[in-house]
Amino acid sequence: MQTAQRILRGYRRRRLIVCVALAVLALFLTLSARYVSERNVNEQRRQAFNQRVISTLESILVPLEQANKDVMPLVGMSCQVAQLKMREHAARLQTVRSIGLIKDDILYCSSIFGARAVPVHLLQPRLPSTQPLLFLTIDHSLLKGTPILLSWIPLANSRHDGVMQIINIELLTGLILEPERPWVSRAILNVSDSHLEYGKGLLQRISVDEGQVSHEMASEKFAFSVTTIGPAAGAMALGNLPTQLPLALILSMLIGYIAWLATANRMSFSWEINVGLASHEFEVFCQPLMSARNLQCVGVELLLRWHNPRQGWISPDVFIPLAEQQNLIAPLTRFVLEETIRQIDIFPKSRDFHIGINVAASHFHEGEIINDLRRHWFPSQPIQKLTLELTERDALPDVDHRVVRDLHRMGVDLAIDDFGTGQSSLAYLETLNPNVLKIDKSFTAAIGTDAVNSTVTDIIIALAQRLGIDLVAEGVETQQQAEYLRRRGVNVLQGYLFARPMPLSEFPRWLRGNNTPPPRRKGHPVPIIPLR
């Protein structure tokens, strides 16, 4: 059996676990989202840097192609004629340091030096070539030792003639290769097998320090690429993650609080009761009422039991008070009414046979119990007498007296259950005009053992007889108790001496006088303590 405190603690614990788990999940997801977002931003900035460098350099090289076409007809002309035109092209392009004309492997004209007669391979070992070339090298003529970008275009069908253009790449390096920290700490231009790094000049090879990564992007128009070196995008994002923690914590706590509010009904005992009703986890039991005169069964009290597959057997002493607090006692009563009508044929078809159903005082408000009886009980026109049992722990003075009057007119008896243990008042005994008083089992148990309680029992009996109210004694377990009550005029007895609560399906066999084993339900033994 479960206690109310244990069940409620269990719900609160599970609810707290769910809310904390959601808060932690929200924190994890928020930080993960920020990490992924930051990492993607770092990657995008690195890519944007590479793309900008490539686009800038391409915009410089595209005009050179046209310049090559314009200068190519000058090859073979006298330097005196060609020099002026080459200087015009160099001035217009701005990034071009000088233009040279090569004839028969000899640099014979320069836009800067004019007429010359230098074998081109002495200046640049790779020249002349039958193929167009674009490569990084060192200047040996004007600013000796400085890096340059050299473009070679051979004359058609000639290996020994062509145009050589020298681009001042060192100046461009400061414009296009300056790193953008922290995403890019080093930027390198790759042309052919040479590498030019910002601030370091030409490199033979590229080295990457530990903890950093390199990314390369190639031009689609020209034979060069750009390599950027810097911290890994993920490592940068991870390092920046602590700055995102305060906002993530606030968001996670907000999610946890929202989850706490949202689970107020979903993870509560009221939700559990609703699930139990929907899943048919409740079952109606009955306990016979015996005539004290001839020990014949004259009625039954219907009891509700709950085997919760998530909690096990839950005592009515637990779920009934909680159901009353959550305003769910009326649905439970409707369930008992529906099940009783569905199995009404198992009871003796006699007007003298009473069927007692426990009803909370709150069910009387605004005539709700009358509406339920008209919907569930009276349409079947049962022959048996219906008795509504009001427990005295309820605020009986709050019962709508007009509803009580209408119930009496409809032929429904009213009983006060557990009489003598709750809010006793002789005034409302007369106002409610009950048909039956049920003596609480604590008074019955005191018979023969407790002189004070025995005296109170006698007073209750005398009071009921004086008011003309029938009596039912609960909790009769010994022959001595039964005889004592019978001698004092108690008409009906109820207790383990005669029968324990049993499922409705077993009542006909018991009524025929068969001795039955302790009741079981769906393979589970049913607790023997009386459940309300």
Side-chain angles (χ1 to χ4, degrees):
M1 285 292 180
Q2 303 285 332
T3 65
Q5 293 79 8
R6 179 181 174 186
I7 290 177
L8 293 178
R9 280 198 304 269
Y11 281 112
R12 283 193 293 267
R13 182 172 60 252
R14 287 195 296 273
R15 187 180 172 195
L16 182 62
I17 290 173
V18 168
C19 294
V20 170
L22 286 176
V24 172
L25 180 62
L27 178 64
F28 173 77
L29 292 178
T30 301
L31 293 178
S32 297
R34 293 301 304 162
Y35 168 79
V36 172
S37 175
E38 191 80 14
R39 184 193 62 189
N40 292 341
V41 167
N42 294 338
E43 288 285 359
Q44 291 169 5
R45 286 172 173 165
R46 193 195 309 275
Q47 292 288 334
F49 177 86
N50 289 353
Q51 189 61 56
R52 179 178 59 80
V53 173
I54 288 176
S55 299
T56 303
L57 196 52
E58 285 179 345
S59 67
I60 294 172
L61 295 178
V62 167
L64 290 181
E65 291 184 323
Q66 184 61 41
N68 285 331
K69 294 178 182 179
D70 295 339
V71 174
M72 194 65 68
L74 301 178
V75 176
M77 291 185 181
S78 65
C79 187
Q80 186 177 2
V81 175
Q83 185 182 17
L84 181 58
K85 294 184 177 180
M86 288 192 295
R87 283 182 176 180
E88 290 177 354
H89 282 291
R92 187 169 65 249
L93 294 173
Q94 295 182 346
T95 55
V96 174
R97 179 180 293 183
S98 67
I99 301 175
L101 301 179
I102 290 86
K103 181 68 176 178
D104 296 328
D105 300 338
I106 301 296
L107 174 62
Y108 77 95
C109 187
S110 170
S111 63
I112 295 178
F113 298 107
R116 302 190 70 184
V118 180
V120 70
H121 72 274
L122 295 180
L123 298 175
Q124 297 296 338
R126 298 187 185 186
L127 302 181
S129 172
T130 57
Q131 300 295 328
L133 294 178
L134 183 69
F135 57 91
L136 292 168
T137 185
I138 300 296
D139 188 4
H140 299 290
S141 301
L142 186 60
L143 299 177
K144 296 182 180 182
T146 60
I148 58 173
L149 178 63
L150 191 146
S151 170
W152 161 257
I153 303 296
L155 201 61
N157 302 320
S158 174
R159 179 182 184 277
H160 308 286
D161 306 328
V163 176
M164 178 178 67
Q165 297 190 72
I166 298 175
I167 301 170
N168 189 359
I169 194 64
E170 188 174 33
L171 176 62
L172 292 174
T173 300
L175 298 176
I176 65 175
L177 291 182
E178 183 177 2
E180 290 185 356
R181 292 179 173 84
W183 310 284
V184 178
S185 56
R186 296 170 60 193
I188 302 169
L189 175 64
N190 309 302
V191 184
S192 185
D193 57 352
S194 299
H195 315 283
L196 178 63
E197 182 175 356
Y198 174 83
K200 293 186 178 180
L202 291 180
L203 304 175
Q204 293 299 317
R205 62 184 183 87
I206 300 175
S207 61
V208 181
D209 296 335
E210 185 178 357
Q212 295 195 325
V213 294
S214 63
H215 297 266
E216 184 175 358
M217 179 181 290
S219 169
E220 297 180 356
K221 297 179 180 179
F222 300 97
F224 73 91
S225 65
V226 175
T227 298
T228 51
I229 299 174
M236 291 178 60
L238 193 61
N240 194 42
L241 212 53
T243 62
Q244 308 295 329
L245 189 58
L247 180 60
L249 284 173
I250 293 173
L251 182 60
S252 66
M253 288 189 291
L254 179 61
I255 294 295
Y257 177 68
I258 293 174
W260 180 263
L261 297 178
T263 56
N265 291 325
R266 181 71 177 177
M267 297 188 69
S268 64
F269 200 75
S270 60
W271 176 82
E272 195 79 40
I273 291 177
N274 286 321
V275 171
L277 286 171
S279 304
H280 302 286
E281 296 170 2
F282 290 93
E283 186 172 354
V284 178
F285 277 52
C286 67
Q287 187 172 24
L289 305 177
M290 309 300 293
S291 169
R293 180 173 54 83
N294 55 20
L295 296 183
Q296 295 296 307
C297 180
V298 295
V300 292
E301 178 184 359
L302 298 183
L303 310 170
L304 194 59
R305 291 189 174 178
W306 185 11
H307 182 260
N308 186 322
R310 298 164 294 282
Q311 301 280 353
W313 286 101
I314 300 180
S315 168
D317 292 335
V318 173
F319 73 79
I320 292 298
L322 292 177
E324 291 174 350
Q325 296 174 14
Q326 300 294 328
N327 296 321
L328 287 173
I329 194 66
L332 292 177
T333 303
R334 294 187 194 104
F335 174 80
V336 174
L337 286 171
E338 292 171 356
E339 285 296 300
T340 304
I341 290 299
R342 189 175 65 85
Q343 304 185 58
I344 194 66
D345 291 338
I346 69 172
F347 300 114
K349 294 181 174 56
S350 170
R351 182 66 183 172
D352 297 327
F353 191 85
H354 292 253
I355 297 178
I357 296 178
N358 292 280
V359 180
S362 59
H363 206 162
F364 279 63
H365 292 167
E366 298 182 0
E368 185 178 7
I369 184 62
I370 293 179
N371 294 332
D372 287 336
L373 291 176
R374 286 172 175 168
R375 187 181 302 113
H376 301 290
W377 180 264
F378 291 116
S380 299
Q381 298 180 346
I383 299 174
Q384 297 83 354
K385 184 75 170 180
L386 176 63
T387 301
L388 300 183
E389 299 185 9
L390 273 168
T391 179
E392 206 181 354
R393 68 168 175 266
D394 293 322
L396 294 185
D398 293 339
V399 173
D400 192 330
H401 299 162
R402 293 171 299 178
V403 175
V404 173
R405 182 189 59 211
D406 292 341
L407 287 173
H408 286 308
R409 290 176 180 175
M410 297 166 67
V412 176
D413 284 352
L414 185 65
I416 296 180
D417 199 7
D418 302 331
F419 185 76
T421 60
Q423 304 176 35
S424 300
S425 172
L426 298 180
Y428 73 71
L429 271 183
E430 184 175 2
T431 304
L432 294 179
N433 190 23
N435 304 91
V436 179
L437 288 184
K438 299 191 73 172
I439 302 172
D440 186 72
K441 59 186 177 183
S442 61
F443 296 111
T444 303
I447 294 174
T449 61
D450 188 328
V452 174
N453 279 341
S454 295
T455 302
V456 173
T457 303
D458 292 340
I459 293 173
I460 293 173
I461 294 172
L463 174 64
Q465 292 172 344
R466 180 78 178 200
L467 295 176
I469 302 175
D470 292 334
L471 284 167
V472 175
E474 298 179 301
V476 179
E477 297 186 1
T478 67
Q479 289 289 351
Q480 179 187 5
Q481 294 168 353
E483 182 61 24
Y484 180 93
L485 293 165
R486 185 187 64 79
R487 287 199 308 267
R488 281 159 177 75
V490 177
N491 306 323
V492 180
L493 308 178
Q494 176 184 355
Y496 287 176
L497 177 63
F498 311 106
R500 297 179 182 273
M502 66 191 74
L504 291 182
S505 59
E506 296 186 11
F507 178 71
R509 183 171 59 178
W510 177 89
L511 195 60
R512 290 193 299 267
N514 295 329
N515 293 323
T516 61
R520 301 178 67 85
R521 179 180 181 271
K522 299 180 181 178
H524 301 283
V526 175
I528 63 174
I529 66 173
L531 307 178
R532 293 294 182 199

